[in-house]
């Protein structure tokens, strides 16, 4: 039986790379998509050339606590077990704090931080009972160092790190590891649409003078969920080309 990995935000630049990497590693991936976006998810599924044995599309609103509890409980009944959870869903609503709306704050906290509770809580007890599990939360360099115009995003991404350390302490005796991957600037389709001069100014700040590839982030996740990563828990793996050394 293939191990099962649930990935939120699976259609994004980093999420796609993680999905493809874990399929290549022999996992069956449960790829979540936002409520009502089935056609978009199917287009992604077909574009990536996945089969139904490799990837199951799974409708889930990660900001809806009640829906997550019900649907993930049913998923456990259907599949029997979930071996890996990758919390990757995230949005930005950037703006300087003086002008930030309450809605921009709430949207980012709901999607990037509250989703960790909504998605992980219904699955964590089953992992502990089974005596094994891997949880990887995708944070950001900006959760470590802060970023102008991103108080909401930086707060959520920093919160993910605190959450992960505390949950790692709770899961350790039961063989459940909880870690963070904190990417720096990554060459996703969204980032590569920036103006060339903006991209160049970003690269100039990075000691390695380039963006990460989504595949490099995915391989970090692959390592943490593999047997090679079994003794690592409560850690934040920074994949940022030396942008922020702490």
């Amino acid at each position: 039986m293939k191990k099962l990995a649930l990935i939120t935000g699976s259609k994004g630049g980093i999420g796609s790379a993680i999905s493809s990497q874990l399929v290549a590693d022999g996992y069956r991936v449960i790829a979540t998509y936002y409520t009502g976006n089935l056609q978009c998810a199917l287009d992604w599924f077909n574009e990536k050339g996945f089969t139904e044995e490799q990837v199951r599309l799974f409708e889930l609103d990660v900001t809806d606590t009640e829906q997550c509890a019900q649907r993930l409980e049913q998923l456990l009944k259907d599949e029997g077990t979930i071996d890996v959870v990758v919390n990757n869903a995230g949005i930005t609503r950037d703006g300087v704090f003086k002008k930030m709306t309450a809605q921009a704050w709430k949207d980012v906290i709901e999607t990037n931080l509250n989703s960790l509770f909504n998605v992980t809580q219904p699955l964590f007890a089953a992992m502990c009972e089974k005596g094994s599990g891997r949880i990887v939360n995708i944070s950001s360099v900006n959760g470590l160092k802060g970023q102008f115009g991103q108080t909401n995003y930086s707060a959520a991404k920093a919160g993910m790190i605190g959450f992960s350390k505390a949950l790692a302490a709770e899961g350790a005796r039961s063989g459940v590891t909880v870690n963070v991957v904190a990417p720096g600037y990554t060459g996703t389709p969204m980032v590569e649409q920036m103006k060339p001069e903006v991209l160049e100014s970003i690269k100039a700040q990075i000691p390695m003078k380039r963006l990460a590839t989504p595949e490099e982030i995915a391989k970090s996740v692959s390592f943490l969920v593999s047997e090679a990563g079994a003794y690592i828990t409560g850690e934040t793996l920074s994949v940022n080309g030396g942008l922020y050394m702490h």
Side-chain angles (χ1 to χ4, degrees):
M1 287 290 287
K2 285 186 173 187
K3 285 189 172 182
L4 282 176
L6 176 86
I7 304 173
T8 69
S10 50
K11 201 171 69 65
I14 289 173
S16 276
I18 295 169
S19 299
S20 295
Q21 180 64 52
L22 293 191
V23 164
D25 291 346
Y27 288 87
R28 181 157 174 255
V29 168
I30 312 291
T32 75
Y33 66 92
Y34 187 65
T35 310
N37 279 9
L38 176 59
Q39 191 53 55
C40 201
L42 283 169
D43 291 345
W44 169 79
F45 179 94
N46 293 325
E47 180 195 323
K48 292 287 173 188
F50 293 133
T51 66
E52 288 183 6
E53 288 73 44
Q54 292 171 327
V55 174
R56 173 182 169 182
L57 296 175
F58 188 71
E59 186 176 47
L60 195 69
D61 178 356
V62 299
T63 69
D64 187 331
T65 309
E66 201 171 310
Q67 188 205 92
C68 284
Q70 290 169 351
R71 290 191 56 74
L72 292 170
E73 188 181 327
Q74 187 59 50
L75 181 70
L76 270 179
K77 285 178 185 168
D78 293 347
E79 300 287 356
T81 184
I82 298 292
D83 301 287
V84 171
V85 173
V86 182
N87 285 302
N88 172 65
I91 60 168
T92 54
R93 296 286 184 270
D94 295 352
V96 293
F97 189 66
K98 284 186 282 187
K99 295 181 180 176
M100 185 173 286
T101 64
Q103 196 60 50
W105 174 269
K106 286 174 184 169
D107 287 349
V108 168
I109 297 297
E110 284 286 348
T111 303
N112 297 28
L113 184 59
N114 292 350
S115 62
L116 292 192
F117 175 88
N118 297 341
V119 173
T120 311
Q121 209 275 338
L123 303 173
F124 184 67
M127 283 182 162
C128 291
E129 281 164 30
K130 189 177 62 166
S132 68
R134 297 277 196 275
I135 297 164
V136 179
N137 299 319
I138 308 300
S139 180
S140 166
V141 65
N142 293 343
L144 292 162
K145 73 176 187 62
Q147 178 62 30
F148 186 96
Q150 285 196 328
T151 50
N152 49 5
Y153 185 80
S154 296
K157 292 299 189 179
M160 291 176 93
I161 295 169
F163 170 93
S164 301
K165 287 180 177 180
L167 194 63
E170 291 189 25
R173 286 185 186 175
S174 303
V176 180
T177 68
V178 187
N179 291 291
V180 175
V181 172
Y185 290 99
T186 304
T188 60
M190 188 173 71
V191 169
E192 288 178 338
Q193 283 171 6
M194 287 180 177
K195 291 176 181 173
E197 61 270 22
V198 174
L199 263 182
E200 286 309 312
S201 72
I202 289 170
K203 288 178 193 173
Q205 298 167 37
I206 302 168
M208 292 183 78
K209 302 301 178 195
R210 68 172 179 87
L211 305 177
T213 67
E215 290 71 27
E216 286 171 324
I217 310 303
K219 285 187 184 297
S220 300
V221 175
S222 171
F223 165 66
L224 288 170
V225 304
S226 74
E227 280 309 304
Y231 199 59
I232 301 170
T233 196
E235 287 300 320
T236 298
L237 178 55
S238 288
V239 189
N240 63 32
L243 176 61
Y244 183 64
M245 302 185 196
H246 59 93

